[in-house]
Structure formats: structure tokens, C-alpha cells
């Protein structure tokens, strides 16, 4: 994610790439055993401030979500809403955490964002993972979301981005054991196109360490007009990375969380769907065996009213 209001963008992929992968058949869906937190996952980020709130909103404000992510942790320290959380006193943090636990909402930290380039900046993946894990434990988070947006490294297609992510994720999981902590990643959709990305991008990452990642908060936006209809979002996109096409690369269907912006101007490069259209698409997707859930950037534009509208048809609160 980028900080409000714009996200990092990815180079456009031509429609020719769509023909590079075979049509997806429902009988070919990849499935898996349930994760540490069973799907569906309803995920909201918060980077910008909200009136009268400091650190995390009340559970009533986000009723319908079961994961709330404060942004961002960086190797140089917490910023934005993550910094607000750090600046709270221990008693206030403990009280908020207790209310989230009672409401079955996991409170997580989002790492990096578009301002940080871990691979390009030559950050040591093991040291960085250790620092992040220590932060998660110190400030009582339930897990971490890896919002890796080092586009320069991925676009080099020399394997450096994939190697960094694999090493980083391996060390992070060592420090944050499965069953005790959640680890998610938030790649942009086209990074699952191994035809375009010769070094594999997230297809390579998933094959190597996908078992260590609970799910993917896939950013299905900022790719032109791709992902703006249910067909291109779920069945067959121009970049060959719809939900079903990502599933065909080996990513379990219940790990492909659909990420969308709350507002049109939060998706500067396209991909916005209003709540009615998105809710209808979830109904179609559920009928085909998908139940991973939805991610949104960001609260407070997307609050309890937003998520309840999105869930209303297929997954009512």
C-alpha cells in the first residue's frame, strides 16, 4: 500500500499476456487445509488518522472485519498509525487489545509500504525479519502483513526480489511461529504472472514459502481497467492474474483475499468497484468455491457500514 491517497503503480501488462495461460477450469482449483485463522478473512488497513481516534478504532467502528492492520512498520521505526499505537501507554494498548480479542478481531502490523525498498536498499532479510518480529512481540500484535512494494527489484527479474522475500519470510516465520502469529503478504495482482516476470515474482515466492504464509491480501487495483468487473477480477483478467488464474499457479483458493480501495480516488490507476458490484461478485465467487475474504485500503473510508455492505449478499454479518 502507499500512504493516502495514492498507491504504488505497476507497469501495464498487455492483453496478449492473457493468452499465455490456459483457460481455468473449475475442476483444476487448488485447495488446502485450513490456515491458523480459517477463511474468510475481512481485512482493513489504516494509515491515515481518524477524528477522535489514536492507535486503533473501537470494535463497533469496524464490526464485520476480523483483521485490522496498522500501517506502517519500517526498519527505521514505526510511522503513521503504527507510530500512534507505539505512543500509547501500556494500559491503553492492553485495553484496546482486550476489546479486539473479545470481538475476535486480530490486530496486526503492516510492514514497509511503498516508501521502503528492502531489496534495492540492500537490507539484510534475516536481520530485518528479526527486528520486525521483535516489534510484533513487544507491542502485542497478533501478526504481521508484509506489504513489500520494491517494484524496481521485481522488475529487474533477476531473482533478487524473490530471494529476498523467501529468506525474509523463512526467518520471520521462525520468529513468529504458526498457530501463534499470523503472517500475510500483500502483493499486487500482476506479480502472480510468471510468464511476464521471468524470475517468477510471487509464483516463485509462493512455491518456496507459501506454506509459511497464511494468506495473500492481493492488491487488485492500480492496473488500468483490469479487475473492474467480476469477470476480470475473478475469472480471466488482461494480466492473466484473476483470482482463478492465480489459483491455477498453485495458490490455494482460500488464500487469495480480494483487495480493493474504499474510494475511487484511492485507486489512482483503476480497479475500483462499488460495494454493490463487489458484493455481487462475492456471491458469484462463493458459488465457485472461493471464500477467502476481502481486504480494503483503508479505514475510516471503509468502516463497519462498508464491509457489511460488501458481505451482505454472500457472507452476511
Amino acid at each position: 500500500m502507499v500512504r493516502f491517497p495514492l498507491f504504488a503503480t505497476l507497469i501495464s501488462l498487455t492483453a496478449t499476456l492473457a493468452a499465455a495461460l490456459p483457460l481455468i477450469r473449475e475442476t483444476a482449483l487448488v485447495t488446502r487445509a485450513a490456515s491458523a485463522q480459517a477463511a474468510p478473512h475481512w481485512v482493513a488497513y489504516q494509515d491515515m488518522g481518524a477524528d477522535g481516534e489514536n492507535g486503533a478504532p473501537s470494535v463497533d467502528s469496524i464490526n464485520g472485519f476480523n483483521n485490522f492492520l496498522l500501517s506502517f512498520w519500517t526498519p527505521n521505526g514505526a510511522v503513521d498509525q503504527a507510530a500512534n499505537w507505539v505512543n500509547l501507554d501500556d494500559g491503553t494498548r492492553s485495553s484496546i487489545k482486550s476489546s479486539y480479542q473479545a470481538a475476535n478481531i486480530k490486530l496486526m502490523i503492516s510492514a514497509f509500504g511503498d516508501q521502503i525498498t528492502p531489496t534495492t536498499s540492500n537490507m539484510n532479510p534475516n536481520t530485518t525479519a528479526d527486528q520486525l518480529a521483535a516489534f510484533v512481540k513487544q507491542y502485542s500484535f497478533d501478526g504481521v502483513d508484509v506489504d513489500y512494494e520494491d517494484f524496481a527489484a521485481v522488475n529487474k527479474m533477476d531473482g533478487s526480489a524473490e530471494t529476498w522475500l523467501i529468506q525474509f519470510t523463512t526467518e520471520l516465520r521462525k520468529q513468529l511461529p504458526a498457530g501463534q502469529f499470523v503472517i500475510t503478504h500483500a502483493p499486487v495482482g500482476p506479480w502472480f504472472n510468471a510468464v511476464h516476470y521471468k524470475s517468477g515474482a510471487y509464483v516463485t515466492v509462493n512455491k518456496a514459502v507459501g506454506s509459511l504464509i497464511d494468506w495473500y491480501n492481493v492488491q487488485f487495483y492500480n492496473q488500468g481497467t483490469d479487475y473492474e468487473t467480476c469477470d476480470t477480477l475473478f475469472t480471466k483478467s488482461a494480466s492473466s492474474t484473476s483470482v482463478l488464474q492465480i489459483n491455477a499457479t498453485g495458490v490455494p483458493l482460500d488464500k487469495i483475499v480480494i483487495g480493493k480501495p474504499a474510494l475511487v480516488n484511492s485507486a489512482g490507476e483503476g480497479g475500483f468497484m462499488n460495494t454493490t458490484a463487489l458484493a455481487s461478485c462475492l456471491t458469484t465467487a462463493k458459488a465457485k468455491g472461493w471464500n477467502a475474504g476481502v481486504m480494503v485500503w483503508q479505514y475510516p473510508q471503509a468502516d463497519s457500514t462498508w464491509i457489511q455492505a460488501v458481505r451482505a449478499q454472500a457472507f452476511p454479518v
Side-chain angles (χ1 to χ4, degrees), residues 44-46 48 50-63 65 68-70 81 85 88 96-97 99-100 105 107 299-300 302-303:
Y45 289 81
Q46 185 183 13
M48 66 184 298
D51 292 342
E53 295 174 344
N54 185 26
S58 69
V59 295
D60 290 338
S61 300
I62 55 172
N63 179 38
F65 290 103
F68 196 81
L69 281 54
L70 299 179
Q81 284 303 104
W85 179 256
L88 297 175
I96 294 172
K97 251 332 257 2
S99 68
Y100 273 55
I105 302 172
L107 184 63
Y299 176 89
D303 57 9

Side-chain angles (χ1 to χ4, degrees), residues 68-152:
F68 196 81
L69 281 54
L70 299 179
S71 304
F72 288 101
W73 176 89
T74 79
N76 296 321
V79 299
D80 304 340
Q81 284 303 104
N84 287 340
W85 179 256
V86 168
N87 291 332
L88 297 175
D89 61 80
D90 291 343
T92 301
R93 281 198 300 269
S94 178
S95 177
I96 294 172
K97 251 332 257 2
S98 294
S99 68
Y100 273 55
Q101 185 175 11
N104 293 316
I105 302 172
K106 290 189 180 297
L107 184 63
M108 297 172 57
I109 185 71
S110 181
F112 305 133
D114 79 312
Q115 303 296 309
I116 306 298
T117 55
T119 306
T120 301
S121 300
N122 294 316
M123 297 177 186
N124 183 288
N126 292 330
T127 301
T128 305
D130 291 345
Q131 292 173 341
L132 176 54
F135 180 88
V136 168
K137 295 173 183 177
Q138 179 179 358
Y139 291 103
S140 303
F141 288 104
D142 295 307
V144 59
D145 175 72
V146 180
D147 184 20
Y148 177 94
E149 298 201 27
D150 195 338
F151 287 85

